[in-house]
Every structure is written in structure tokens, then in C-alpha cells.
Amino acid sequence: MAHYILADNQELTRFALECLIKQDERNTIGRISDKAGLVQELKEEDARCVVVLDYTLFDFADEAQLIVMSERFPATQWVLISDDLTVELMRRMIYASPRFSIVFKDCALSEVREALLAAADGKRFVAQKAMEQILAERQEETKTNVLTATEMEIVKAIARGMTTKEIADERFSSVHTVTTHRKNIFRKLGVNTAHEAIRYAIRSGWVDPNEFYI
């Protein structure tokens, strides 16, 4: 049994969540539409609550306000449910407190139900999609960090359409040295061709696709 507070201003989502929650008739549900109403509900509710919140549709100025509120009500569990959350926000919530769970509105119903049950049991739940996005960004950051400043410059030169010889001439290096750098870059990024390296650099935001050659 748990008391759920639905802080989601989409009627269809609220209806679906209520159906899932009411599968256990012992559960109770509160519905609020703004931050002030949420604070009031949490003040009045003595038992442990589970707040199911669409952060992107609510009137929080930023995630810092949400973290402060979670600290103000330490018995409360939070299930962040949304169409889309940035990786930065998800990581900050996960690091801020084990009482934040994350699930997306396009997740399978079984996964949403699992998130609701885990929160009611005082446990954190992070949807597979969220974990994949967080891990993917961490891998991108790792790859960026392992490239040296020289290798980053060569990636950008490759993106400008420069040949190995042209890069060597510009850097006053030998062709052999630049070729070695290229091989190291391809190995670190897990690519096999200059075209793949350029595409990787554009996806990662290292180069502007409007400024560089593809």
C-alpha cells in the first residue's frame, strides 16, 4: 500500500497512471497541478508518499529547486516520468539522492509499473532507456578525454577535407607522424575511415557541420 501523488498535467498520462496504481486497491492517489499544491499535499500527508512527476511540464525553475524539495521531505520517493529528459538532468538526479527514479512515457507499461512499485518499496528504479543514454554519453566523454590536443586538431583538419600531406605541411610534421596520429585517432574512436571519424566528430559536437567538409 502506498500514497501516490500525481504531479502530471497531461490528462491521458494521469489516467494511465491511475489505472496502474489502482491495480492495488489499497493504494491512494492525490492529484496536484502546481508546485504550491505539491508542497501542501506533502505537508498534509504523514505516511511515505510517492510523487510521480513530469518535471518538464511542472513549474520548477530548475532541478535545484526539485532537489531542495526532496531534501525538505526526506520520506518521499520521486518517480520522474517524462517524454524526454536530458542526460545531464538524469545524472544529477541520480547522484543527488537514491530516492529519485526515472522512467519515460514511451516505456513499456511493465517498466512503468515496476518503477511505481519500486518507489513504493523505497527503492530506486532507472528505466533501461535512461541507463543506455547515460552510459552512451559517458562513453562519448571517455573517448573525448582520451584524444590528445594534437589528435583533436587533426580530427578537425580531416573534417576540413585536408589530406594527410596537407595536414603534415600545415603542422610542419612528417607524413609518417600524421599517419600515426590518424591510426591512433581511429583506434580510440572505434572507426575505420576518415569519413566515419568526421561523422563521429560532428555527432559529438567537436565540429560544426555547416563549417566543415563531409
Side-chain angles (χ1 to χ4, degrees), residues 96-116:
S97 170
R99 293 183 290 110
F100 282 110
S101 295
I102 298 173
V103 69
F104 293 102
K105 291 184 178 180
D106 61 355
C107 285
L109 280 178
S110 58
E111 208 169 11
V112 178
R113 184 185 299 110
E114 191 174 352
L116 296 173

Side-chain angles (χ1 to χ4, degrees), residues 32-203:
I32 51 92
S33 58
D34 56 31
K35 187 174 63 179
L38 176 57
V39 171
Q40 186 62 34
E41 178 83 3
L42 290 173
K43 284 181 177 179
E44 294 175 356
E45 184 59 44
D46 293 330
R48 173 184 289 173
C49 298
V50 177
V51 177
V52 187
L53 170 71
D54 187 335
Y55 171 80
T56 60
L57 296 180
F58 232 65
D59 58 341
F60 284 98
D62 52 34
E63 60 265 30
Q65 280 193 353
L66 178 54
I67 293 172
V68 169
M69 184 174 291
S70 73
E71 292 171 348
R72 182 178 176 184
F73 300 99
T76 301
Q77 295 286 325
W78 302 78
V79 178
L80 303 185
I81 181 168
S82 177
D83 289 319
D84 186 36
L85 293 171
T86 66
V87 172
E88 181 180 356
L89 185 145
M90 290 190 290
R91 287 171 65 173
R92 185 169 185 189
M93 293 300 102
I94 289 172
Y95 295 149
S97 170
R99 293 183 290 110
F100 282 110
S101 295
I102 298 173
V103 69
F104 293 102
K105 291 184 178 180
D106 61 355
C107 285
L109 280 178
S110 58
E111 208 169 11
V112 178
R113 184 185 299 110
E114 191 174 352
L116 296 173
L117 292 174
D121 199 29
K123 300 175 182 177
R124 191 214 305 275
F125 179 88
V126 180
Q128 181 177 348
K129 177 180 175 181
M131 287 302 303
E132 289 173 351
Q133 291 181 1
I134 292 169
L135 291 174
E137 181 165 292
R138 182 174 297 174
Q139 290 172 352
E140 298 297 323
E141 291 172 350
T142 300
K143 289 179 179 178
T144 302
N145 292 337
V146 298
L147 289 185
T148 66
T150 296
E151 289 167 346
M152 286 294 292
E153 291 175 3
I154 291 176
V155 168
K156 294 177 181 179
I158 293 172
R160 292 201 300 269
M162 297 178 67
T163 65
T164 300
K165 185 177 185 308
E166 288 171 338
I167 296 171
D169 291 342
E170 182 181 72
R171 298 185 59 80
F172 303 103
S173 300
S174 68
V175 170
H176 174 73
T177 298
V178 175
T179 299
T180 300
H181 282 308
R182 283 169 59 103
K183 289 180 180 179
N184 289 335
I185 291 167
F186 291 1
R187 175 178 54 79
K188 290 178 179 180
L189 299 185
V191 300
N192 298 306
T193 67
H195 184 68
E196 290 177 351
I198 295 169
R199 288 174 60 85
Y200 189 101
I202 291 174
R203 288 198 305 269

